Amino acid sequence: MQARSSAQDSTCKQRTTLFFSVRDEVGALDKCLRALKAANVSMTRIESRPSRSADPGYDFFVDIDASDKDLVQRVIEEIKQIKIVQDVRFISSLGSQQLPHAEQERVPWFPRKMTDLDTFAEKVMEMGEELTSDHPGVNDVEYRQRRLEIVQKAKAYRTGQPLPRIEYTDQEKETWKQVYTRLHEMYPKYACREFLHVFPLLEQNCAYGPDDIPQIEDISRFLKDCTGFTLRPVMGLLTPRDFLNSLAFRVFHSTQYIRHHSDPYYTPEPDCCHELLGHVPLFADPNFAELAQEIGLASLGASEEDIEKLATIFWFTAEFGLCREDEGIRAYGAGLLSSFGELEYALTEAPEKHSFDPSKTALQKYPITQYQPIYFVADSFRDATAKLRDFNATMRRPFQVRYNPYTQSIEVLNSKDKVHHFARSISNEMQLLTSALELI
Ligand SMILES: [Fe+2]
């Protein structure tokens, strides 16, 4: 399932991701870029974050166009020569053969098939194997060891394997119980209709309850039956691009570790309480699933500027979205449905509430460490999806894509043949629709 064929590897252009840490010195990055130039490869993407190992310094993820292993090895050796660089690593290498050459030059790499998501396994922006200094578990050796054990399973996971099952400890179950019990009491008053419809189904089918933490393998199977969404384990926070790209495949990355037991009502990072209570229920709703996938499809090959806009839209919908119902405004965002304090606050008069309008929502600035001062209210998931489609049509991208659920791959509609094939399949569907309507 996971190995790419050697024929593909040898004939198509390769997109290789490298990782390295650099000490913070004047001209540090310059030296690394010169090394890439010396090896005669072009860089197509660069992402940085404050370094965990080179302190003070930065970790870099760099995508390069490289055609063979020898060349990649030469690049690694060139970078290793630089004294301020430490921990140079090869992360992944993937083909990018579907777009014409000119488009490859300006379009950021994006996954085309499910196995391409394997490349995200070790690419996390924050947390992952390390914890930031504000994490309540940062000085608890036992907690860190346990978290590392769980994270290693996510790191090793590859497409097609069963999702890791975690035997949770009594202490972890107790933390879950406290969070679950308190939120469960609040949902009838604050959660949206769709969430309240799905939650009992999760109790019946996926062992949701206060006494144990549900397993993502069971949840993933349930979601697949409902909407085709599946879960994948993840080490920590993915880059916005990688995270959104996965949604195009109806894949949601879920952490499996739980927050520190010293403060069950606080976590500085997504944990299984946030994912399983906040996010999972709505991925079982067909209309929400469509909205989430629409964001994902728009993110494939999008410019950095557009990725930022789409990540902001995700923030104000899937994370902190509100929606209008007959009884009043309710919450559907996971950041709200997994936080007692903000769930209550969001539905008071205190914060501003605006109607969801992607062109405005995409530009709204927001804080990440305090309650949101502004929320966006959707009329319905279908309405939000329709507005999002109109917005996406205004984004600049030199090609169109669609997800093929049969092959679980992304099709780039950039040739007459592909568009004809697509038109034929729509025509067949229309015939089926007409015949079904005649029978009703
Ligand atoms: Fe989230």
Side-chain angles (χ1 to χ4, degrees):
M1 287 286 287
Q2 296 145 49
R4 289 179 301 282
S5 73
S6 57
Q8 179 190 352
D9 283 348
S10 63
T11 55
C12 69
K13 193 162 188 170
Q14 294 285 301
R15 187 70 44 112
T16 298
T17 303
L18 300 178
F19 168 93
F20 52 85
S21 301
V22 179
R23 280 205 311 276
D24 192 10
E25 282 181 20
V26 179
L29 183 58
D30 248 13
K31 287 180 187 165
C32 299
L33 298 182
R34 273 204 298 275
L36 292 175
K37 208 169 173 187
N40 210 18
V41 292
S42 51
M43 189 177 66
T44 54
R45 181 165 67 130
I46 183 162
E47 288 170 16
S48 65
R49 65 180 186 191
S51 180
R52 306 270 176 251
S53 52
D55 189 21
Y58 291 92
D59 292 341
F60 289 94
F61 289 102
V62 176
D63 285 358
I64 55 170
D65 281 338
S67 57
D68 62 53
K69 283 178 188 162
D70 291 345
L71 179 58
V72 172
Q73 195 51 45
R74 223 166 49 236
V75 173
I76 291 175
E77 293 308 322
E78 286 278 356
I79 299 174
K80 277 183 178 170
Q81 299 297 316
I82 307 167
K83 281 190 182 146
I84 48 169
V85 171
Q86 57 193 62
D87 191 18
V88 188
R89 269 184 282 151
F90 165 85
I91 296 289
S92 64
S93 191
L94 287 166
S96 177
Q97 77 282 25
Q98 282 188 345
L99 294 173
H101 182 73
E103 287 179 13
Q104 283 186 27
E105 293 304 313
R106 60 175 189 268
V107 174
W109 178 87
F110 60 89
R112 314 299 162 93
K113 51 192 190 306
M114 200 61 101
T115 48
D116 287 351
L117 303 186
D118 291 342
T119 190
F120 304 159
E122 294 184 47
K123 266 178 71 185
V124 286
M125 296 286 284
E126 275 182 29
M127 304 296 183
E129 288 163 317
E130 298 298 326
L131 296 183
T132 51
S133 55
D134 62 338
H135 195 292
V138 71
N139 295 319
D140 181 341
V141 177
E142 202 179 318
Y143 176 81
R144 292 182 65 145
Q145 187 51 42
R146 168 64 172 163
R147 197 176 172 290
L148 189 62
E149 200 181 294
I150 294 173
V151 156
Q152 293 294 344
K153 291 184 193 232
K155 192 175 181 178
Y157 174 79
R158 293 294 179 269
T159 300
Q161 296 173 348
L163 302 182
R165 283 191 180 272
I166 310 292
E167 186 82 26
Y168 289 104
T169 65
D170 288 345
Q171 191 173 57
E172 287 167 335
K173 289 181 194 173
E174 183 51 37
T175 304
W176 166 265
K177 188 178 202 159
Q178 291 189 50
V179 178
Y180 184 97
T181 308
R182 195 155 160 199
L183 283 171
H184 196 253
E185 280 169 15
M186 296 179 74
Y187 288 151
K189 186 173 172 192
Y190 298 100
C192 70
R193 185 189 312 123
E194 293 82 352
F195 184 95
L196 294 177
H197 171 72
V198 170
F199 209 88
L201 300 175
L202 290 165
E203 290 172 324
Q204 287 161 27
N205 295 284
C206 306
Y208 267 53
D211 297 329
D212 201 355
I213 303 173
Q215 298 292 333
I216 62 170
E217 168 73 22
D218 302 337
I219 299 168
S220 189
R221 283 174 190 275
F222 172 75
L223 292 179
K224 194 165 184 10
D225 286 348
C226 296
T227 61
F229 250 94
T230 54
L231 301 182
R232 281 180 74 111
V234 69
M235 292 169 68
L237 278 179
L238 292 175
T239 67
R241 181 182 293 280
D242 293 348
F243 177 78
L244 296 178
N245 279 185
S246 310
L247 295 175
F249 293 75
R250 297 207 170 200
V251 167
F252 177 71
H253 281 86
S254 173
T255 52
Q256 289 184 283
Y257 44 77
I258 196 163
R259 59 197 64 187
H260 193 253
H261 55 85
S262 62
D263 193 352
Y265 303 144
Y266 169 74
T267 174
E269 59 170 344
D271 70 337
C272 65
C273 297
H274 171 74
E275 323 280 28
L276 307 189
L277 296 173
H279 280 294
V280 157
L282 282 175
F283 285 123
D285 178 78
N287 294 322
F288 180 83
E290 210 173 309
L291 172 65
Q293 188 179 28
E294 198 61 35
I295 299 176
L297 286 166
S299 77
L300 298 172
S303 65
E304 286 306 318
E305 194 187 324
D306 286 339
I307 287 290
E308 200 180 323
K309 288 180 183 169
L310 292 166
T312 304
I313 287 174
F314 185 85
W315 180 268
F316 283 113
T317 54
E319 292 292 357
F320 290 96
L322 299 177
C323 57
R324 236 177 288 282
E325 290 186 1
D326 294 342
E327 304 76 27
I329 291 177
R330 295 293 185 101
Y332 72 90
L336 298 174
L337 292 162
S338 61
S339 159
F340 333 101
E342 189 159 0
L343 183 54
E344 203 168 7
Y345 156 85
L347 296 174
T348 63
E349 298 295 312
E352 282 181 44
K353 297 183 188 74
H354 301 287
S355 288
F356 175 66
D357 172 353
S359 59
K360 290 183 183 146
T361 307
L363 302 176
Q364 181 63 52
K365 299 285 173 220
Y366 55 87
I368 53 169
T369 53
Q370 61 196 64
Y371 291 171
Q372 300 300 305
I374 295 172
Y375 296 95
F376 287 89
V377 186
D379 285 336
S380 68
F381 296 144
R382 287 174 68 178
D383 183 68
T385 307
K387 285 180 173 153
L388 186 64
R389 282 201 180 113
D390 289 343
F391 173 73
N392 291 347
T394 66
M395 290 178 14
R396 285 163 300 165
R397 193 171 57 175
F399 57 92
Q400 192 50 273
V401 293
R402 73 184 280 260
Y403 181 64
N404 182 333
Y406 306 116
T407 57
Q408 298 191 314
S409 64
I410 299 295
E411 288 175 2
V412 181
L413 300 171
N414 60 351
S415 73
K416 254 187 178 175
D417 274 358
K418 286 176 189 169
V419 176
H420 271 150
H421 183 75
F422 182 34
R424 268 201 308 277
S425 69
I426 294 174
S427 163
N428 294 342
E429 296 284 312
M430 284 302 289
Q431 267 186 353
L432 184 66
L433 176 65
T434 312
S435 144
L437 283 171
E438 282 166 1
L439 293 172
I440 289 172

